[in-house]
Amino acid sequence: MKKLVKILGITAMALCGSGIFLQLAGSALGGKEEIAKVQSACYHFDIEKQKLSAPTQLMADLAHMDISLLPSTDENWYISYAIDSKKNENPLSIKEENGILYLSERNAQETMSYEQSNFFNITKHVEYNSELTLYVPKKAVLDTCTLKLGDGELILEEMNTKHLQINMKDGDADISHIKAERFSITTADGDVTGYGFLGKHGEIMTDYGDIFLTTEKDFLQNINISASTELGDILISDSLTKSGILKEDDNGCTTYEKLGAENMWEIISENGDITLQDTQAKNENAMLHQEKTDTDHTGKITSE
C-alpha cells in the first residue's frame, strides 16, 4: 500500500511539473499567437458619414447592431457605421427605394467586451463593436419610422415622425425630444427612457424593463394616461397626483389613471417600475411620490 501511495505521489509531481513547463512554453512560443489568430478571425466594415437621399420613411431590422438616430448638422441625411463580423461579408444591407430607406442586418458581432483565456491561461481583452448612426435633418418629418432590434441598444434624439414604431428584444431605448402623432414602443428585457417625449397617442410596453418618461407639464396635463405594473412601482410627480388616481389592488398590482383629455398614453411594465414626471419637477429636483391610493364610491382620492 505504501509503495502504491509513493508511486502515485511521484506521478502527480511529474504531471504538475509537466503542466508548468507547458504553460511557460506556450506563453513563450505559441500562446500569444493563438490569441492573435482568434482576434484576426473577426472582419471589420466601416463607413464614415456617407450622404443619403432624403427618405420619407425609415425601416430598420437589425439583429445585433446598436443604432443611433442623431440630428444632422445640415439639411442632408448621412449614415456611418463600424461593424465587426465573423464572416468576410458586410452584414449590413442599405437600400433606398421609392422614398423608403431600408436597413437590414444579419450576422454582425454583437457589441461586447470580455476577458479571454486560452489553454495556457494567457488572458487578453477582447472587444467587438457593431454600431450604426443615422444623421437626420432637424426639419425632416417622416411619415413612418419603424425600428426592429434584437440585442442592440437604441438612441433616438430630436426627430419628428407621424408614426413611430419600435420593437426591441434585450436592448435599452434612450429617446429624447421626439415628436410623434402615434407611437408603439415595446421591449422584452430593456428599459425605456424618454426625456422631452411628445408622443400624442400610443403605447409603451415592456416585460421586465423599467419605463421612465419626462416631458412638459402642460403636455402631460392634456394626455390621458393609463399605467400599470404587476410587480413594480409607479412613481409620479406632484402635478400628476392632483389630476389622476394612483392605487394598488389586493393582488399587488399598481395602476395610475388620468382621464379627460383627447389623446392617450397606455404604459405597461409587467415586472418593472414606471416613472412619470414633468420637466419642471425634474429641474426643481422635486420628490417623486410613491403614494398608494384607493378611491371611495364618489371617486375621491384617499391615501391608504
Side-chain angles (χ1 to χ4, degrees):
M1 183 68 178
K2 290 183 179 179
K3 185 177 180 180
L4 177 61
V5 172
K6 185 177 181 180
I7 293 173
L8 291 175
I10 294 173
T11 303
M13 291 178 64
L15 290 173
C16 288
S18 299
I20 293 173
F21 174 78
L22 288 173
Q23 184 177 22
L24 294 174
S27 177
L29 300 175
K32 292 182 180 179
E33 182 180 354
E34 180 179 342
I35 292 294
K37 287 180 180 178
V38 172
Q39 287 297 94
S40 65
C42 188
Y43 300 93
H44 186 76
F45 305 89
D46 62 77
I47 280 182
E48 183 68 24
K49 218 168 183 181
Q50 175 179 298
K51 187 176 179 180
L52 298 170
S53 301
T56 57
Q57 300 181 59
L58 170 62
M59 300 185 68
D61 185 355
L62 308 176
H64 305 289
M65 296 181 65
D66 300 336
I67 182 171
S68 299
L69 277 73
L70 306 177
S72 176
T73 55
D74 56 32
E75 71 280 1
N76 298 312
W77 284 71
Y78 300 95
I79 185 171
S80 63
Y81 60 78
I83 310 171
D84 289 328
S85 176
K86 293 291 187 180
K87 297 183 178 182
N88 190 15
E89 181 180 354
N90 193 337
L92 181 64
S93 170
I94 304 172
K95 182 180 179 181
E96 298 178 83
E97 184 178 2
N98 298 325
I100 305 175
L101 174 59
Y102 296 95
L103 303 174
S104 178
E105 170 265 316
R106 292 293 182 272
N107 301 317
Q109 179 65 50
E110 180 183 354
T111 299
M112 65 174 70
S113 62
Y114 58 91
E115 302 299 321
Q116 183 184 62
S117 298
N118 68 352
F119 177 77
F120 301 105
N121 200 30
I122 300 173
T123 301
K124 187 170 184 178
H125 181 73
V126 180
E127 185 171 336
Y128 298 108
N129 291 289
S130 291
E131 301 173 339
L132 165 67
T133 303
L134 276 177
Y135 299 92
V136 183
K138 292 183 178 181
K139 294 183 179 181
V141 180
L142 288 173
D143 291 332
T144 60
C145 177
T146 303
L147 306 173
K148 182 181 178 182
L149 279 70
D151 301 323
E153 310 282 345
L154 169 66
I155 296 176
L156 197 57
E157 294 183 6
E158 296 186 36
M159 196 182 74
N160 193 344
T161 179
K162 295 177 182 178
H163 186 196
L164 174 65
Q165 183 170 352
I166 300 172
N167 191 319
M168 303 179 65
K169 184 179 178 183
D170 296 324
D172 298 331
D174 191 345
I175 303 169
S176 61
H177 301 289
I178 301 302
K179 294 181 179 180
E181 294 292 329
R182 293 186 174 273
F183 63 92
S184 174
I185 303 172
T186 61
T187 74
D189 296 330
D191 298 334
V192 179
T193 302
Y195 182 78
F197 182 68
L198 300 177
K200 288 187 177 181
H201 190 91
E203 60 187 16
I204 301 177
M205 298 183 180
T206 178
D207 291 333
Y208 295 96
D210 298 327
I211 299 173
F212 187 100
L213 297 177
T214 302
T215 192
E216 299 171 6
K217 183 177 179 179
D218 291 340
F219 186 85
L220 274 178
Q221 293 301 320
N222 292 310
I223 293 289
N224 291 331
I225 299 175
S226 175
S228 66
T229 175
E230 291 188 7
L231 299 179
D233 296 315
I234 296 180
L235 313 174
I236 59 177
S237 55
D238 278 330
S239 60
L240 291 176
T241 60
K242 298 173 183 178
S243 56
I245 299 172
L246 175 66
K247 63 181 180 180
E248 182 179 352
D249 64 20
D250 295 337
N251 296 320
C253 179
T254 305
T255 61
Y256 173 78
E257 189 171 57
K258 182 177 78 69
L259 302 176
E262 180 179 355
N263 294 305
M264 182 76 178
W265 284 6
E266 183 177 6
I267 305 170
I268 299 175
S269 178
E270 296 290 343
N271 301 284
D273 297 332
I274 298 173
T275 300
L276 301 171
Q277 68 174 350
D278 58 70
T279 50
Q280 181 178 345
K282 182 179 178 65
N283 293 335
E284 294 174 355
N285 295 317
M287 294 294 293
L288 294 175
H289 294 268
Q290 189 180 352
E291 182 184 27
K292 310 301 183 184
T293 62
D294 291 321
T295 58
D296 58 20
H297 65 279
T298 63
K300 180 180 179 181
I301 303 174
T302 57
S303 300
E304 284 184 344

